Every structure is written in C-alpha cells, then in structure tokens.
C-alpha cells in the first residue's frame, strides 16, 4: 500500500493494490485536512503525517487506519515539518524549524513524550530516513553553502557526509543531494539530485560512497521511496506545464510505470524491514511472491500478499505478512511466525519453532523436535 499527498486538495490519500484510492482515515473532529508528508508505522495500522488541521499550527499527528484514534503528537509547538517512524515502531524522528533558515532533527516516543533534540548548530537537516536496523539516520544536510546526504547514529553521534559535489541548498541542490531513503536491505540509499542537469533519482552505496543514476527522464523526478522488497522505486515526477504524478521504476532504469491519475507527490510505501527485531535479508514486495532462503542464516520478511516461503539450509527466521502465507522451513533450526492472515506453517528436518498469528493458522511439525504455538 502506498500513501501520498494529493497536491491539488491537499490531503493524504491511500493507493491500494487494485488501484483504488481512499482518503486518510481521521477520527471525527481530529486533525483534519490539509495533510502532508505521510509515513507508515511498521505494523501498517497507523501513519504519521504533517497537518495544520489540529488547531495549533503545523504539527505531527498520528492516526489509526480504522479511524478510532487520531492524536496530535506536538501540540505545544507549531513549527514541525514532518517525521519518520523507526523500524521497531518505538521512536519518531521529526524536523523542527528553529527559524526561517535552520531546521533541526528531534526524536520522541510514538506517544509524543520524551522529545529530545538530535542536531544543533548552524547547519540545517531535512527529511531523515532510518536504516533497516534502526541504528542510523540518513538526511539531507545543508552546511557551508551546500546540501549533501549525511549519516548519523540515532543517538546524534558519528555524523559524517557520504555524497559530494557543488550545491546551494537542500531545495536547489545542483550537484548536491537531498531526500535520502534507505533501502529495505540497507545496502543502498536512494536520493534526488540534479547533478545531471535535471532532478533525477540516484542510488548510493553508503559503504563505498559510489553513486549511480537510476532515472533519465524529462521533467523533475523527486522524493524516492522503495517499494516492497526493494525491486522498484516509486517517485514523484513533474513534467513541464503539468501537475505531478507518481511513477515507479526498476533499479536498472527500465520499466517506468505511472501509478496515479490524480495530482500527487510525497509518496510513502509501507514496508517492514525487520522480523522479531532482526533486519531482514529476503523480502516480499506486497504482491504474491515466492521467497526462498539461501544456504546461510536468513531473515525472511513476507509482504502483504499471499506469499510462499521456503527457508534454506541455515538457521532461518521467517515472519509472514498480512496475506495467506505458506511457510515451509528448511534443514536448520528455524523459527517461523505466521503474523496476520490465515497461514500454513510446516516444519522441516531441523528442530523448529512454529508460531501462528492472530488469524486462523494451520501448523504441522516436521521430523525434528519441533515446538508449535497457535
């Protein structure tokens, strides 16, 4: 599922797998439109968003998708610029505008308490993105006359730059970089830059700092977000004289596909990057996938579709998604969790742990000493 800002209204809208659109559910009388900059909770049951509909200026609010609860998380301030939720769902890092030239990052618990400033000084930081393991933040940082992608530990330490080039600021970044978004595996960071003359989407290896351009399209291509298991990137595309729309593209630059028919921007794809607190290595993408483990120790994270999962020879950890999943463990000492949906879990030759979820599950042990919990 994809959330985005409908720019002609403006309001947050949900794009479903069948192409249908629904408005962001908000509890009656709470923090209504206009809404911007949606970001998902890992449980796919809640979103945070930026709004001035709470009656106290610009605030970060959270709403449940069943519209039973909507809360203003920052009622004491009116100068927030949106935020992002940690992979374990325990923390929000958000932007606060100190003055017209400076924006800094703050953190808080997901109930709005324990607010703490993370960045200081003359620099300005925008649009943070959590690494899949929750240990690092990527951000666009303007300092010394240029905007680049920087990394920082989530406690505010170990700040360092990972892109280079000429830049004016984080809005007109020239050869600089802005809007980073970490991939589900953590091996790449997508970002926007006009170092090629137009705004295009690029990929960065955060270890080697090598950069590769993905899009080579007319117009301006902005705000990348990873779809599902990281096989495609969704982005906002402006063409001359028109309104923006959302598109997706493969990582090799092929398969450009338009996603929306209404004016739309600021896409945010739901994805889960962890299984029981461990970063995933194999991911579903929201469709009905066949996911296979390797000979090593895998962490397999199914998507929202009806997935078929076969773990490999290592000691694997498997988390089902929201669909009707079929999980077959391998030869190692595996742990499989059905999660939501009606799931089918079968143990392999090793000593396995099979745990059903809240749906109606079917569990079968294998030849090893298995432990089953429904």
């Amino acid at each position: 599922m994809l959330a985005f800002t409908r720019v002609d209204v403006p309001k947050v809208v949900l794009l479903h797998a069948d192409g249908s659109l629904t408005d962001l559910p908000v509890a009656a009388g709470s923090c209504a439109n206009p809404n911007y900059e949606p970001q998902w909770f890992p449980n796919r049951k809640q979103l945070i968003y930026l709004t001035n509909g709470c009656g106290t200026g610009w605030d970060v609010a959270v709403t449940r998708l069943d519209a039973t609860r909507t809360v203003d998380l920052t009622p004491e301030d009116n100068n927030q610029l949106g935020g992002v939720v940690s992979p374990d769902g325990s923390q929000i890092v958000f932007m606060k505008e100190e003055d017209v030239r400076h924006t800094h990052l703050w953190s808080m618990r997901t109930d709005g308490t324990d607010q703490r400033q993370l960045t200081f000084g003359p620099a300005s930081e925008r649009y943070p993105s959590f690494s899949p393991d929750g240990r690092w933040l990527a951000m666009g940082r303007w300092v010394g006359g240029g905007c680049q992608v920087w990394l920082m530990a989530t406690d505010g330490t170990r700040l360092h730059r990972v892109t280079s080039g000429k830049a004016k600021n984080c809005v007109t970044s020239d050869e600089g970089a802005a809007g980073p978004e970490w991939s589900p595996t953590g091996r790449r960071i997508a970002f926007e830059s006009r170092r090629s003359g137009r705004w295009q989407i690029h990929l960065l290896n955060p270890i080697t700092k090598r950069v590769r351009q993905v899009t080579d399209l007319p117009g301006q291509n902005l705000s990348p977000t990873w779809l599902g298991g990281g096989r495609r990137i969704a982005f906002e595309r402006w063409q001359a004289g028109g309104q923006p729309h959302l598109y997706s593209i493969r990582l090799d630059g092929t398969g450009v596909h338009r996603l929306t028919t209404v004016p739309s921007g600021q896409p945010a794809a739901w994805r889960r990057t962890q299984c029981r607190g461990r970063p995933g290595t194999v991911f579903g993408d929201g469709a009905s996938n066949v996911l296979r483990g390797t000979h090593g120790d895998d962490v397999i994270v199914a998507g929202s579709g009806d997935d078929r999962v076969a773990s490999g020879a290592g000691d694997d950890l498997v988390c089902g998604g929201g669909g009707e999943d079929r999980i077959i463990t391998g030869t190692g000492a595996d742990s499989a969790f059905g999660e939501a949906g009606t799931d089918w879990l079968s143990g392999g030759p090793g000593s396995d742990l099979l745990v059903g979820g809240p749906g109606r599950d079917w569990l079968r042990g294998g030849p090893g000493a298995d432990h089953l919990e429904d």
Side-chain angles (χ1 to χ4, degrees):
M1 187 184 298
L2 193 69
F4 64 90
T5 300
R6 181 163 176 169
V7 300
D8 58 338
V9 177
K11 60 183 177 180
V12 172
V13 176
L14 306 181
L15 173 63
H16 300 272
D18 62 1
S20 61
L21 302 177
T22 57
D23 291 348
L24 176 70
V26 175
S30 302
C31 300
N33 297 332
N35 302 327
Y36 302 86
E37 300 181 7
Q39 292 288 339
W40 290 92
F41 274 69
N43 62 11
R44 206 173 63 151
K45 297 178 181 179
Q46 300 176 96
L47 289 98
I48 61 170
Y49 59 98
L50 179 68
T51 180
N52 64 357
C54 298
T56 57
W58 289 105
D59 293 298
V60 177
V62 58
T63 189
R64 290 181 59 88
L65 291 192
D66 59 9
T68 58
R69 188 170 183 263
T70 301
V71 178
D72 180 0
L73 297 177
T74 56
E76 305 301 324
D77 296 303
N78 60 3
N79 53 353
Q80 273 59 243
L81 293 175
V84 63
V85 185
S86 64
D88 64 0
S90 67
Q91 184 183 19
I92 294 172
V93 171
F94 63 99
M95 300 171 282
K96 181 182 287 191
E97 190 176 61
E98 308 295 340
D99 54 50
V100 294
R101 292 179 56 86
H102 298 98
T103 301
H104 291 307
L105 300 185
W106 289 63
S107 69
M108 62 180 169
R109 295 177 182 171
T110 50
D111 62 359
T113 62
D114 194 24
Q115 295 191 17
R116 182 169 60 93
Q117 188 170 351
L118 296 177
T119 60
F120 302 84
S124 186
E125 296 84 18
R126 282 179 170 265
Y127 298 108
S129 173
F130 274 98
S131 63
D133 61 10
R135 297 172 55 195
W136 291 90
L137 289 165
M139 72 197 78
R141 186 170 190 256
W142 180 82
V143 61
C147 185
Q148 300 293 341
V149 174
W150 290 63
L151 302 185
M152 181 182 72
T154 51
D155 62 359
T157 63
R158 291 183 282 176
L159 182 68
H160 61 283
R161 190 178 70 178
V162 289
T163 61
S164 60
K166 298 178 182 179
K168 294 179 180 178
N169 55 57
C170 288
V171 179
T172 56
S173 68
D174 297 346
E175 295 181 25
E181 180 80 2
W182 226 302
S183 72
T185 63
R187 299 189 184 108
R188 300 182 183 93
I189 297 173
F191 66 94
E192 60 193 42
S193 174
R194 61 177 189 179
R195 60 184 63 199
S196 62
R198 295 188 302 267
W199 286 98
Q200 303 289 355
I201 306 301
H202 296 71
L203 291 180
L204 163 73
N205 183 316
I207 303 300
T208 66
K209 301 182 182 180
R210 293 184 61 182
V211 171
R212 176 172 64 84
Q213 184 173 327
V214 176
T215 61
D216 186 16
L217 300 170
Q220 311 300 329
N221 306 281
L222 308 164
S223 304
T225 187
W226 295 83
L227 295 179
R231 298 177 181 89
R232 298 182 69 90
I233 293 173
F235 59 97
E236 170 187 337
R237 185 182 180 194
W238 292 76
Q239 300 190 69
Q243 295 276 12
H245 291 280
L246 301 187
Y247 287 74
S248 72
I249 192 171
R250 298 190 188 101
L251 302 190
D252 62 2
T254 64
V256 178
H257 174 66
R258 181 166 163 173
L259 299 174
T260 57
T261 58
V262 298
S264 43
Q266 300 173 336
W270 173 80
R271 64 181 184 275
R272 188 175 52 169
T273 61
Q274 294 187 356
C275 174
R276 303 287 159 159
R278 289 176 56 187
T281 59
V282 179
F283 298 89
D285 62 5
S288 295
N289 303 124
V290 176
L291 307 176
R292 300 185 184 279
T294 68
H295 293 293
D297 297 339
D298 300 307
V299 179
I300 302 175
V301 183
S304 56
D306 300 336
D307 298 318
R308 301 294 179 264
V309 180
S311 65
D315 297 336
D316 301 320
L317 174 62
V318 182
C319 280
E324 297 183 3
D325 302 319
R326 180 179 291 262
I327 301 171
I328 302 175
T329 61
T331 57
D334 303 317
S335 299
F337 298 85
E339 307 293 355
T342 301
D343 304 314
W344 189 93
L345 286 71
S346 178
S351 298
D352 303 316
L353 170 64
L354 306 178
V355 182
R360 185 176 179 181
D361 301 320
W362 188 88
L363 284 68
R364 185 181 72 179
D370 298 328
H371 180 75
L372 281 61
E373 297 181 12
D374 194 359

